[in-house]
Amino acid sequence: MRPMHEQSTHEESTEHFFTSFTDLLVGIIFIFMLLLMVFALNYKKAETTNKEAVETLVTTEELRDELLKAIAGRMQQEGTNVTLDLDNGIVRLPEDLLFASGQWQLSEQGKQFLGKLAGVMMNTVPCSVASRSGVKIDCQLLRRSTLLDSILIEGHTDKQPFAGANGMTNWELSAFRAISVYRALVEAEPALEVDLKNQRRQPILGVSAYAERRPVDTKNLDPNRRIDLRFNMRAPKAAQ
């Protein structure tokens, strides 16, 4: 049998061991709970951010569709039509009305058509840009302001080789046609170039050319000879 003082010392040592172990276990559980809370908060934040991003994307596309439909509707009121490609944000112009075969100079009918289009754009597009200077327009047509980054006037040709003066090819033909459309729009409505700016205070109108590299129909040539107005949107920032 152990002496009393040894037994007491052994019991105190055991008690201290279990007390320390319990404290350690409580500390581990507390740290685990903190980590679990941090993980839950981060997960919720990420989930919210992803949801907002999806909602912003959908909203931006819907508002672009609304803008394009407004342009098409007003052109129809003017007695002429454009074709919409809503999936790609495109207003497609009737090129056979704009240019004769192999030419980049606008026909008289083409100039009249683009004059109407420029007027329609000045009654719709300013509602969708970040800055429109002194342009005054009633924006009740659209539900709310969108963020239009650019309108690219795209020139396209078919795949048939084109041999013009000075070594001109489909590249030059598509580029010169797009430039001709740009100049006609700006001549009819200078504010399209001067007053309408995106978020970075840059003009929204631009020109691009693709020759035959972006056909819309692989079997027929005619649909590939075209002028597209591609509307590029900029997603609004979370703070807006």
Side-chain angles (χ1 to χ4, degrees), residues 54-74:
V54 172
E55 289 176 350
T56 297
L57 177 63
V58 172
T59 300
T60 301
E61 290 181 348
E62 288 176 347
L63 293 173
R64 183 181 66 182
D65 291 352
E66 188 173 313
L67 172 60
L68 268 58
K69 289 177 181 178
I71 292 173
R74 292 209 172 191

Side-chain angles (χ1 to χ4, degrees), residues 18-107:
F18 282 110
T19 300
S20 300
F21 178 77
T22 303
D23 291 341
L24 178 63
L25 185 60
V26 170
I28 292 174
I29 294 174
F30 178 73
I31 293 173
F32 175 77
M33 291 179 65
L34 284 178
L35 292 174
L36 186 61
M37 289 176 63
V38 170
F39 174 79
L41 289 173
N42 288 337
Y43 178 80
K44 185 176 181 180
K45 182 179 180 180
E47 187 179 41
T48 302
T49 301
N50 290 336
K51 183 178 179 181
E52 289 176 350
V54 172
E55 289 176 350
T56 297
L57 177 63
V58 172
T59 300
T60 301
E61 290 181 348
E62 288 176 347
L63 293 173
R64 183 181 66 182
D65 291 352
E66 188 173 313
L67 172 60
L68 268 58
K69 289 177 181 178
I71 292 173
R74 292 209 172 191
M75 287 299 290
Q76 192 170 29
Q77 292 175 6
E78 293 287 337
T80 188
N81 294 313
V82 295
T83 303
L84 299 183
D85 177 359
L86 295 178
D87 289 339
N88 294 298
I90 287 173
V91 174
R92 185 156 294 147
L93 309 185
E95 193 188 69
D96 57 344
L97 183 68
L98 302 178
F99 304 101
S101 177
Q103 299 297 313
W104 66 88
Q105 296 90 352
L106 287 163
S107 66

